[in-house]
Amino acid sequence: MSESHVDEQIQARIAAARAKTQQQREERAAFAERRAAGLAARKAAKLRRIYCATCARRQYRGTYYRCPLGCGVTVCRKNPHCGNTHLRQCDNRGHKPTVAEAP
């Protein structure tokens, strides 16, 4: 039983359709991996950014200092109002640092 040329063409089309479907599946998987990596990188970059604890302005290197009472949050260096209002919300506000504890 030999197959006719029509059957061969049908089998070739079916094989081409399967190959195309497989290629699309692989492309979608690769895109999903790249997208997940991009989202993770964006989230990591967002977490690296530093904002003032009081006014929520973005801070850059040299434009902020950390809470002098030791809670570690960022406070604007430019705006003295931020440092004063932050002290009210600091967990260590009632604690007076000693000379040995002072940074």
Side-chain angles (χ1 to χ4, degrees):
M1 283 217 254
S2 68
E3 294 184 12
S4 69
H5 73 285
V6 175
D7 290 334
E8 290 175 5
Q9 288 178 346
I10 291 172
Q11 292 300 324
R13 286 183 182 174
I14 290 172
R18 285 185 181 153
K20 182 179 177 184
T21 303
Q22 181 63 28
Q23 178 67 26
Q24 288 173 340
R25 190 176 294 130
E26 291 171 2
E27 287 174 0
R28 281 194 301 269
F31 177 76
E33 289 176 14
R34 288 191 311 268
R35 184 175 188 275
L39 290 174
R42 236 181 302 161
K43 184 173 183 177
K46 183 177 179 182
L47 292 175
R48 283 191 304 266
R49 293 184 195 126
I50 298 173
Y51 295 92
C52 177
T54 303
C55 67
R57 288 187 187 136
R58 178 136 185 234
Q59 300 299 307
Y60 299 94
R61 186 169 44 170
T63 64
Y64 65 91
Y65 65 93
R66 299 290 179 175
C67 173
L69 298 178
C71 72
V73 300
T74 305
V75 181
C76 287
R77 185 175 278 179
K78 291 180 182 178
N79 189 355
H81 173 70
C82 291
N84 295 334
T85 58
H86 167 69
L87 296 177
R88 278 191 261 131
Q89 59 187 329
C90 182
D91 294 335
N92 300 326
R93 184 168 191 258
H95 175 69
K96 299 279 184 187
T98 61
V99 174
E101 294 176 349

